[in-house]
Structure formats: C-alpha cells, structure tokens
Amino acid sequence: MTRPDRPLSAYLAILGLLKIPPVACISSTLGIFILAVCIYTTLLPLRYQRTLRYLRMLLSLPGAYCFIDFGWSTWYERTHNRSTFLALGTVACYGMMRLLETCWIRELDGDTPKWKLKSTYRAPVKRVESPKGQTSKGNGDGDEVRHTVSPPQFILALPTRPWKRVLYTLDLLTNIRGSSWFADRTWDFAPAYVSTFMPPTGTSRILFIRSQIMSIAAQYLVMDVLDTLIRSQDQLWSKASARPVTTFRSVPLQLAASLAVCTTTILYLTIPYATLSATAVAMGSSPTSWPPIVSNPLSSHSLAHFWGRGWHHIFRRVFNRISMAILWPFRSSSASYITTARKVIIFFLSATLHLVLLTTLQPRPPSPDNPNPRSHRSMFEPGTIKFFLSQPLGLYIESSIILPLVRNGSQRVQMNVCRVFAWCWLLWTGRWWADAWIGGGMYDETERPIVWSPLRGLMWGTWII
C-alpha cells in the first residue's frame, strides 16, 4: 500500500482558523470515535456480522447524541456568530446521517465502500488465484485487484489486516466526496470528476500551492467586494420581515440578492477548502487528491449539470443511501420511476436539512433596525421549502419541455438555451432561498465573513472590520 498523501496534521493545521468553541470538541470527538468504531466493525469477518450489526445499531444512539450535543448544546455559552453555529449544525447533521448509513441502511443491501485504483495508476502486478477462473491481479502490496467493466480501473478487495482496516476506516471517515488520502485511488462511490481529476498544474506541488494561494487571494477580494456592497445597502433589507428579499418592489434587486447569496455561499465553501488543500499539499499530499469543492457552478450549461456536477457533493453519498432506503420497498419498479422519485426525495432531504440548520440557530439579538426580533422561526420556513422543492420541477421542465424544443438544433444552440433556462430558474427560485438566508440573520452586523478589508481600507481607511 502506498504512503498516505493527506496527513492528519493537514487538518489540525487549520483548526486555528475555525471558531469552534473548544468545549464543543469533546462531543464531536466522541461522536467521530463511535462512527469510526462502527465503520471498522464492517470489515470484520462475516461470521461476526450478525452480532456486530446489533452492536452498531446500539452504538449509533450515543453517537447521535454526541453529534446533537456538538451542534446544539446549551451547556456552553453560545456567543459566537450565526455562521459558526450553522457550521456546527452542518457537521452534526452529517455525522448523524453517516451513523444512519453505516449502522442501519447498510443492513438492507450490505453495501460496503471499496477503494478503486485510478486509471492513471501504474504498478507492477502479480497473478493470484481467483475462483471460477476469473482474471485477478495484485497491486504489489498484497491487496487483491479485480478488473471492473471499465478497465484499466480496478476495485480493491476489502482489507483483512488490522492496520489496513484502520487506514481504511480513517480514509473513509474523513473523505466525504470519494477522494482519498492515497494518491493512487479513490472510493468507488466517487463522482466521475473526482476519480479523473488532474489539476491544471499537473502533479507539481509547488505549482499547485502557488495556484491555490492566487485563487484564495482572488476569492477573498471577491468576498470583500460583495460584503462591502451588502453592508452599504444594508438599509434595503427589512430585518423585521420574514421575506426581506421578495418584498422588494424592484425585480432586478431581488435577482441581485439571489445572485449575491449564491456567490457568497460558494465562497464560504471554496475559500476554506482552498486553504486546506494548499496546506495539505505543502505537508506532502498529492495535488490529485484535491478536486475542487465545486466545479464551476456559475458556468453550468443546464440545470441538471448545475445540481449533478457543478454544485458541491458533500451530502451526495448520504442522500443517495437514505433515498435508496426509502425506496427499498419499490426497488422492483421501473428505473425511470426510481430515478424520478430519488430526485424528489433527495431535494426533500436537502430542504429538511437546511430547515433544521436555519430554524435551530440562536435567536437574533435586538438591534436599532430590529428592536424586537422573532424569538424563534417556524420549522416550515416557506422560502427554504419553495426553493428546494421547486428544483425537481425545474429539472422536469428542462428534460421534458426545453430539451425536446431544441433537439433538432446544434449542440451549441441546445447548450445556450438550457444555460439561459438554468440561470433564469435558479435566479428566480433563488429569491426564496435569499429570503430564508437573509431573514435568518446571515447578513446581520454580527456576521463577519472576513476580518480584514482591503477595499474598505483603501476607500475609507477601515482595514479591520
């Protein structure tokens, strides 16, 4: 087995950039440890699995409690900004969904993730005996390798040695999109762009780090410009309103707010990820292990491309597995029915996740613009529900109406028409999500996505905000 290319120290190096309350880390550590134990037990011999399945189900209960305590505990002072606690809740929800997947859903189909060698991997192989005359090889490290239907990629057998099981557990635990600590492999559930990713800078660490630093600087400046514009137009938001965006009389302003929320959300993801990837590669990780967190979503040529490839895939695996479990009684139905139902369920799960995150934030503090803020928000927040549950309708319109209308046109015409439809649909429905985001206090004075502002420093001498 090759050397791990994503050392744990890379994650520890950026902890100083996070505003997580130290006392909350106790619960998260316990929850992560329980999840790791549950993953490890799935690798033990089959003769123990009947007993271990009940152990995993039992362990999932205290594990879920630890993640809930991490995300929403009231036994420590919640004085941090709302975006910090939104991040805590996101981690907590993801941890609970991983426990659900590992300890419960797995019992339906026995699915266990496996490593897959990348197509660019080249290593001496040796013949090993395989049942029923199948051709199989080894990768030189004692791991059995079998041809898949798309050579030259290979699926590695599950590890059998204790230390390899530990590496497997840590790798699966810390990689949520299917990439790997090891430069020669990904996970078999990884989307295509992760499995085939090759940085524009190639495998050169120096060039990768330099490009990431330049990217971080450019993204920071964009965030500074957006934050400056949002703060300068703060009087536009009716902070006491549950619909601060769609109450605008000006439709262009509504669409501008929708675009601003979308762009800042992307930057909230890409800036920390670029920082982490540059730090990890500087510590020895391979650049090929760090595909972008989003894949040019603003240049997507269709609504299906935006949600299927452009947007982040942080919850892709867990949402797919949960939707599979929900549709398990109907698994013999037609493929088209299953595909359509899965899309609806996944967007319903996403809506539920975002409702939980936004409605469980601490109450907004009183301010001159909003002296009597709402003490709580309804779980059935309309903006969030309308935005996420309208996306399957948009995908249906695109595939059933837009594409047939331009089917006889050139590929360029088809892409341009679908791109216009996708932009119009996302900007219009994004107004509802902007209502939820801004109405949830994510643009309040207490929220500071940046602490040093070159733009405001040059214009007004306010460098620190």
Side-chain angles (χ1 to χ4, degrees):
M1 183 175 288
T2 55
R3 176 180 59 86
D5 281 299
R6 191 178 298 177
L8 185 59
S9 55
Y11 293 97
L12 301 178
I14 65 162
L15 285 180
L17 303 177
L18 304 178
K19 300 177 181 179
I20 298 177
V23 68
C25 294
I26 300 174
S27 298
S28 65
T29 302
L30 289 174
I32 292 171
F33 176 76
I34 291 173
L35 177 57
V37 170
C38 293
I39 293 174
Y40 185 90
T41 60
T42 63
L43 303 174
L44 296 178
L46 186 61
R47 61 181 179 273
Y48 302 128
Q49 289 303 317
R50 178 170 296 181
T51 301
L52 290 173
R53 73 176 62 174
Y54 297 112
L55 175 63
R56 286 191 291 269
M57 292 176 180
L58 184 63
L59 287 175
S60 68
L61 302 180
Y65 175 82
C66 289
F67 284 118
I68 292 173
D69 189 65
F70 172 72
W72 299 282
S73 176
T74 57
W75 60 274
Y76 58 84
E77 190 175 5
R78 299 172 67 88
T79 57
H80 292 73
N81 57 24
R82 303 175 75 77
S83 56
T84 297
F85 286 103
L86 191 69
L88 295 180
T90 303
V91 173
C93 287
Y94 181 78
M96 288 188 288
M97 286 189 287
R98 284 292 299 271
L99 283 170
L100 178 64
E101 173 205 351
T102 304
C103 304
W104 297 84
I105 297 177
R106 181 184 175 276
E107 302 307 322
L108 292 177
D109 59 1
D111 178 73
T112 303
K114 297 180 178 65
W115 276 313
K116 180 176 68 175
L117 293 180
K118 294 181 178 178
S119 59
T120 54
Y121 176 67
R122 296 291 183 269
V125 295
K126 60 183 180 181
R127 295 280 177 177
V128 295
E129 293 185 2
S130 180
K132 299 182 181 179
Q134 295 177 338
T135 301
S136 63
K137 298 179 180 181
N139 67 350
D141 295 313
D143 291 326
E144 187 180 356
V145 180
R146 295 185 184 276
H147 280 295
T148 65
V149 294
S150 56
Q153 294 185 352
F154 308 96
I155 298 295
L156 293 174
L158 294 174
T160 56
R161 300 177 184 177
W163 69 274
K164 287 187 179 180
R165 288 173 177 162
V166 171
L167 290 179
Y168 171 102
T169 300
L170 293 176
D171 199 14
L172 182 59
L173 182 68
T174 55
N175 288 285
I176 58 181
R177 294 183 300 149
S179 54
S180 174
W181 285 9
F182 303 96
D184 64 337
R185 65 194 66 183
T186 59
W187 290 95
D188 59 358
F189 59 84
Y193 78 91
V194 172
S195 300
T196 60
F197 173 69
M198 178 59 69
T201 56
T203 57
S204 170
R205 286 189 172 90
I206 297 298
L207 293 179
F208 181 85
I209 294 170
R210 186 174 66 182
S211 69
Q212 292 300 91
I213 292 174
M214 295 174 62
S215 174
I216 293 168
Q219 293 177 71
Y220 193 91
L221 289 176
V222 173
M223 177 68 89
D224 187 21
V225 171
L226 283 173
D227 190 63
T228 301
L229 289 174
I230 290 168
R231 304 296 175 188
S232 66
Q233 302 299 321
D234 190 55
Q235 69 277 6
L236 292 176
W237 323 119
S238 176
K239 294 183 178 179
S241 172
R243 298 184 295 130
V245 173
T246 53
T247 51
F248 288 166
R249 293 184 178 180
S250 171
V251 172
L253 278 178
Q254 295 182 27
L255 300 180
S258 175
L259 181 61
V261 170
C262 177
T263 306
T264 52
T265 302
I266 292 172
L267 294 174
Y268 272 125
L269 294 170
T270 55
I271 292 177
Y273 183 80
T275 305
L276 173 60
S277 63
T279 304
V281 171
M283 293 182 175
S285 179
S286 169
T288 60
S289 295
W290 293 93
I293 189 74
V294 292
S295 183
N296 298 320
L298 298 182
S299 64
S300 295
H301 57 75
S302 68
L303 191 61
H305 184 273
F306 177 88
W307 290 117
R309 176 161 181 168
W311 201 237
H312 71 81
H313 286 164
I314 293 175
F315 297 100
R316 175 190 175 107
R317 166 75 178 175
V318 290
F319 281 172
N320 277 335
R321 296 291 291 157
I322 294 173
S323 65
M324 183 279 297
I326 294 174
L327 293 172
W328 184 257
F330 312 99
R331 58 189 180 278
S332 59
S333 302
S334 65
S336 60
Y337 168 81
I338 295 295
T339 300
T340 302
R342 176 167 284 188
K343 290 178 183 177
V344 174
I345 291 172
I346 286 175
F347 278 108
F348 174 81
L349 292 173
S350 186
T352 303
L353 170 68
H354 287 84
L355 284 170
V356 169
L357 294 177
L358 286 179
T359 58
T360 56
L361 290 173
Q362 70 272 33
R364 297 164 71 177
S367 66
D369 296 329
N370 189 17
N372 298 303
R374 289 175 293 169
S375 59
H376 67 280
R377 302 182 71 190
S378 170
M379 181 64 184
F380 299 99
E381 202 283 318
T384 304
I385 295 173
K386 288 191 292 185
F387 172 72
F388 284 100
L389 296 190
S390 66
Q391 300 313 309
L393 175 61
L395 292 170
Y396 176 79
I397 293 173
E398 182 179 75
S399 62
S400 301
I401 300 177
I402 304 300
L403 282 175
L405 286 176
V406 296
R407 181 173 298 164
N408 296 328
S410 65
Q411 184 178 6
R412 182 176 181 180
V413 170
Q414 295 180 26
M415 291 181 62
N416 287 337
V417 170
C418 288
R419 180 178 282 115
V420 170
F421 170 76
W423 269 93
C424 292
W425 186 268
L426 288 171
L427 285 177
W428 186 258
T429 60
R431 302 173 309 125
W432 300 326
W433 174 241
D435 269 342
W437 188 258
I438 298 172
M442 301 310 297
Y443 281 170
D444 283 1
E445 279 296 318
T446 56
E447 303 307 306
R448 284 289 180 261
I450 57 176
V451 294
W452 180 71
S453 173
L455 179 60
R456 276 162 279 193
L458 292 173
M459 294 180 64
W460 303 299
T462 308
W463 297 93
I464 306 297
I465 58 175

Short mmCIF file of all heavy atoms in Angstrom, two decimals, residues 370-399:
data_model
loop_
_atom_site.label_atom_id
_atom_site.label_comp_id
_atom_site.label_asym_id
_atom_site.label_seq_id
_atom_site.Cartn_x
_atom_site.Cartn_y
_atom_site.Cartn_z
N ASN A 370 -34.02 46.39 14.23
CA ASN A 370 -34.94 45.30 14.55
C ASN A 370 -34.98 45.13 16.07
O ASN A 370 -34.40 44.18 16.60
CB ASN A 370 -34.49 44.01 13.85
CG ASN A 370 -35.52 42.90 13.97
OD1 ASN A 370 -36.68 43.14 14.29
ND2 ASN A 370 -35.10 41.68 13.70
N PRO A 371 -35.65 46.05 16.78
CA PRO A 371 -35.59 46.01 18.25
C PRO A 371 -36.30 44.82 18.86
O PRO A 371 -35.99 44.43 19.99
CB PRO A 371 -36.29 47.33 18.64
CG PRO A 371 -37.16 47.67 17.47
CD PRO A 371 -36.43 47.17 16.26
N ASN A 372 -37.24 44.22 18.14
CA ASN A 372 -37.99 43.08 18.68
C ASN A 372 -37.91 41.91 17.71
O ASN A 372 -38.90 41.59 17.02
CB ASN A 372 -39.44 43.46 18.94
CG ASN A 372 -39.58 44.55 19.97
OD1 ASN A 372 -39.11 44.40 21.09
ND2 ASN A 372 -40.24 45.66 19.59
N PRO A 373 -36.75 41.28 17.62
CA PRO A 373 -36.62 40.16 16.67
C PRO A 373 -37.47 38.97 17.10
O PRO A 373 -37.79 38.81 18.28
CB PRO A 373 -35.14 39.82 16.74
CG PRO A 373 -34.70 40.27 18.10
CD PRO A 373 -35.53 41.50 18.38
N ARG A 374 -37.82 38.15 16.12
CA ARG A 374 -38.60 36.95 16.43
C ARG A 374 -37.78 36.02 17.32
O ARG A 374 -36.60 35.80 17.09
CB ARG A 374 -38.98 36.23 15.14
CG ARG A 374 -40.02 36.95 14.30
CD ARG A 374 -40.24 36.24 12.98
NE ARG A 374 -39.06 36.30 12.13
CZ ARG A 374 -38.90 35.59 11.03
NH1 ARG A 374 -39.83 34.73 10.65
NH2 ARG A 374 -37.80 35.71 10.32
N SER A 375 -38.44 35.48 18.33
CA SER A 375 -37.72 34.61 19.27
C SER A 375 -37.40 33.26 18.67
O SER A 375 -36.47 32.58 19.09
CB SER A 375 -38.55 34.41 20.55
OG SER A 375 -39.81 33.83 20.23
N HIS A 376 -38.17 32.84 17.65
CA HIS A 376 -37.91 31.56 17.00
C HIS A 376 -38.48 31.60 15.59
O HIS A 376 -39.29 32.46 15.25
CB HIS A 376 -38.53 30.40 17.79
CG HIS A 376 -40.03 30.42 17.80
ND1 HIS A 376 -40.75 31.22 18.64
CD2 HIS A 376 -40.95 29.74 17.03
CE1 HIS A 376 -42.05 31.04 18.43
NE2 HIS A 376 -42.20 30.15 17.45
N ARG A 377 -38.05 30.66 14.77
CA ARG A 377 -38.53 30.57 13.40
C ARG A 377 -39.27 29.25 13.22
O ARG A 377 -38.91 28.23 13.82
CB ARG A 377 -37.37 30.65 12.40
CG ARG A 377 -36.55 31.92 12.53
CD ARG A 377 -35.47 31.95 11.48
NE ARG A 377 -36.03 32.16 10.14
CZ ARG A 377 -35.32 32.04 9.04
NH1 ARG A 377 -34.05 31.67 9.10
NH2 ARG A 377 -35.88 32.25 7.86
N SER A 378 -40.29 29.29 12.40
CA SER A 378 -41.07 28.09 12.16
C SER A 378 -40.25 27.06 11.40
O SER A 378 -39.46 27.40 10.51
CB SER A 378 -42.33 28.44 11.36
OG SER A 378 -42.99 27.27 10.93
N MET A 379 -40.43 25.80 11.76
CA MET A 379 -39.74 24.73 11.05
C MET A 379 -40.19 24.67 9.59
O MET A 379 -39.44 24.22 8.72
CB MET A 379 -40.04 23.39 11.75
CG MET A 379 -39.36 22.20 11.13
SD MET A 379 -37.56 22.29 11.23
CE MET A 379 -37.12 20.82 10.30
N PHE A 380 -41.38 25.17 9.31
CA PHE A 380 -41.90 25.16 7.94
C PHE A 380 -41.66 26.53 7.30
O PHE A 380 -42.59 27.21 6.88
CB PHE A 380 -43.38 24.79 7.95
CG PHE A 380 -43.66 23.44 8.51
CD1 PHE A 380 -44.09 23.28 9.82
CD2 PHE A 380 -43.45 22.30 7.75
CE1 PHE A 380 -44.32 22.03 10.35
CE2 PHE A 380 -43.69 21.04 8.27
CZ PHE A 380 -44.12 20.90 9.57
N GLU A 381 -40.39 26.91 7.27
CA GLU A 381 -39.99 28.20 6.69
C GLU A 381 -40.27 28.16 5.19
O GLU A 381 -39.72 27.33 4.47
CB GLU A 381 -38.51 28.43 6.97
CG GLU A 381 -38.06 29.88 6.90
CD GLU A 381 -37.91 30.36 5.48
OE1 GLU A 381 -37.36 29.60 4.65
OE2 GLU A 381 -38.33 31.49 5.19
N PRO A 382 -41.15 29.04 4.67
CA PRO A 382 -41.62 28.88 3.29
C PRO A 382 -40.55 29.07 2.23
O PRO A 382 -40.57 28.40 1.20
CB PRO A 382 -42.73 29.94 3.18
CG PRO A 382 -42.45 30.93 4.27
CD PRO A 382 -41.82 30.15 5.37
N GLY A 383 -39.60 30.00 2.45
CA GLY A 383 -38.58 30.24 1.44
C GLY A 383 -37.73 29.01 1.16
O GLY A 383 -37.47 28.66 -0.01
N THR A 384 -37.31 28.34 2.22
CA THR A 384 -36.49 27.13 2.06
C THR A 384 -37.28 26.03 1.36
O THR A 384 -36.77 25.36 0.45
CB THR A 384 -36.01 26.64 3.44
OG1 THR A 384 -35.31 27.70 4.10
CG2 THR A 384 -35.10 25.44 3.30
N ILE A 385 -38.51 25.82 1.79
CA ILE A 385 -39.33 24.76 1.21
C ILE A 385 -39.58 25.01 -0.26
O ILE A 385 -39.43 24.11 -1.11
CB ILE A 385 -40.66 24.65 1.98
CG1 ILE A 385 -40.40 24.20 3.42
CG2 ILE A 385 -41.61 23.68 1.28
CD1 ILE A 385 -41.63 24.22 4.31
N LYS A 386 -39.95 26.25 -0.63
CA LYS A 386 -40.24 26.56 -2.02
C LYS A 386 -39.01 26.41 -2.90
O LYS A 386 -39.10 25.90 -4.03
CB LYS A 386 -40.83 27.97 -2.13
CG LYS A 386 -42.24 28.09 -1.60
CD LYS A 386 -42.85 29.42 -1.99
CE LYS A 386 -42.20 30.59 -1.30
NZ LYS A 386 -42.89 31.86 -1.60
N PHE A 387 -37.85 26.84 -2.40
CA PHE A 387 -36.65 26.77 -3.23
C PHE A 387 -36.26 25.33 -3.54
O PHE A 387 -36.10 24.94 -4.70
CB PHE A 387 -35.48 27.48 -2.56
CG PHE A 387 -34.17 27.28 -3.26
CD1 PHE A 387 -33.92 27.89 -4.48
CD2 PHE A 387 -33.18 26.45 -2.74
CE1 PHE A 387 -32.72 27.70 -5.16
CE2 PHE A 387 -31.99 26.26 -3.40
CZ PHE A 387 -31.76 26.88 -4.61
N PHE A 388 -36.11 24.51 -2.51
CA PHE A 388 -35.60 23.16 -2.73
C PHE A 388 -36.63 22.26 -3.41
O PHE A 388 -36.27 21.44 -4.26
CB PHE A 388 -35.15 22.55 -1.40
CG PHE A 388 -33.83 23.09 -0.93
CD1 PHE A 388 -33.78 24.07 0.05
CD2 PHE A 388 -32.64 22.64 -1.47
CE1 PHE A 388 -32.57 24.59 0.48
CE2 PHE A 388 -31.42 23.15 -1.05
CZ PHE A 388 -31.40 24.13 -0.08
N LEU A 389 -37.90 22.39 -3.06
CA LEU A 389 -38.89 21.51 -3.65
C LEU A 389 -39.30 21.95 -5.06
O LEU A 389 -39.97 21.19 -5.77
CB LEU A 389 -40.12 21.42 -2.76
CG LEU A 389 -39.88 20.79 -1.37
CD1 LEU A 389 -41.20 20.53 -0.68
CD2 LEU A 389 -39.08 19.50 -1.48
N SER A 390 -38.88 23.15 -5.48
CA SER A 390 -39.14 23.56 -6.85
C SER A 390 -38.07 23.05 -7.82
O SER A 390 -38.30 23.06 -9.04
CB SER A 390 -39.21 25.09 -6.94
OG SER A 390 -37.95 25.68 -6.66
N GLN A 391 -36.94 22.61 -7.31
CA GLN A 391 -35.86 22.17 -8.20
C GLN A 391 -36.21 20.91 -8.99
O GLN A 391 -35.89 20.82 -10.18
CB GLN A 391 -34.57 21.98 -7.41
CG GLN A 391 -34.08 23.25 -6.71
CD GLN A 391 -34.09 24.47 -7.61
OE1 GLN A 391 -33.55 24.45 -8.73
NE2 GLN A 391 -34.70 25.55 -7.13
N PRO A 392 -36.85 19.88 -8.41
CA PRO A 392 -37.27 18.74 -9.25
C PRO A 392 -38.21 19.16 -10.36
O PRO A 392 -38.15 18.61 -11.47
CB PRO A 392 -37.97 17.80 -8.24
CG PRO A 392 -37.40 18.16 -6.92
CD PRO A 392 -37.14 19.63 -6.97
N LEU A 393 -39.09 20.15 -10.11
CA LEU A 393 -39.97 20.65 -11.17
C LEU A 393 -39.14 21.29 -12.28
O LEU A 393 -39.42 21.08 -13.48
CB LEU A 393 -40.95 21.66 -10.58
CG LEU A 393 -41.87 22.37 -11.59
CD1 LEU A 393 -42.75 21.36 -12.32
CD2 LEU A 393 -42.72 23.44 -10.88
N GLY A 394 -38.11 22.06 -11.90
CA GLY A 394 -37.25 22.66 -12.91
C GLY A 394 -36.52 21.63 -13.74
O GLY A 394 -36.39 21.78 -14.97
N LEU A 395 -36.05 20.57 -13.11
CA LEU A 395 -35.38 19.50 -13.85
C LEU A 395 -36.34 18.80 -14.80
O LEU A 395 -35.96 18.43 -15.92
CB LEU A 395 -34.78 18.48 -12.86
CG LEU A 395 -33.62 18.99 -12.00
CD1 LEU A 395 -33.29 17.99 -10.90
CD2 LEU A 395 -32.37 19.24 -12.87
N TYR A 396 -37.59 18.64 -14.37
CA TYR A 396 -38.59 18.01 -15.23
C TYR A 396 -38.90 18.90 -16.43
O TYR A 396 -38.99 18.42 -17.57
CB TYR A 396 -39.86 17.73 -14.44
CG TYR A 396 -40.98 17.17 -15.28
CD1 TYR A 396 -41.01 15.83 -15.64
CD2 TYR A 396 -42.01 18.00 -15.73
CE1 TYR A 396 -42.02 15.32 -16.43
CE2 TYR A 396 -43.04 17.50 -16.51
CZ TYR A 396 -43.04 16.16 -16.87
OH TYR A 396 -44.04 15.67 -17.65
N ILE A 397 -39.07 20.20 -16.21
CA ILE A 397 -39.35 21.13 -17.31
C ILE A 397 -38.20 21.13 -18.31
O ILE A 397 -38.40 21.13 -19.52
CB ILE A 397 -39.61 22.54 -16.77
CG1 ILE A 397 -40.90 22.56 -15.96
CG2 ILE A 397 -39.67 23.56 -17.90
CD1 ILE A 397 -41.16 23.88 -15.24
N GLU A 398 -36.98 21.12 -17.78
CA GLU A 398 -35.81 21.14 -18.67
C GLU A 398 -35.74 19.89 -19.54
O GLU A 398 -35.48 19.97 -20.75
CB GLU A 398 -34.54 21.27 -17.83
CG GLU A 398 -33.26 21.35 -18.66
CD GLU A 398 -32.04 21.49 -17.77
OE1 GLU A 398 -31.64 20.48 -17.15
OE2 GLU A 398 -31.49 22.59 -17.71
N SER A 399 -35.98 18.72 -18.95
CA SER A 399 -35.83 17.47 -19.69
C SER A 399 -37.04 17.16 -20.58
O SER A 399 -36.89 16.54 -21.64
CB SER A 399 -35.61 16.31 -18.72
OG SER A 399 -36.73 16.15 -17.86
#
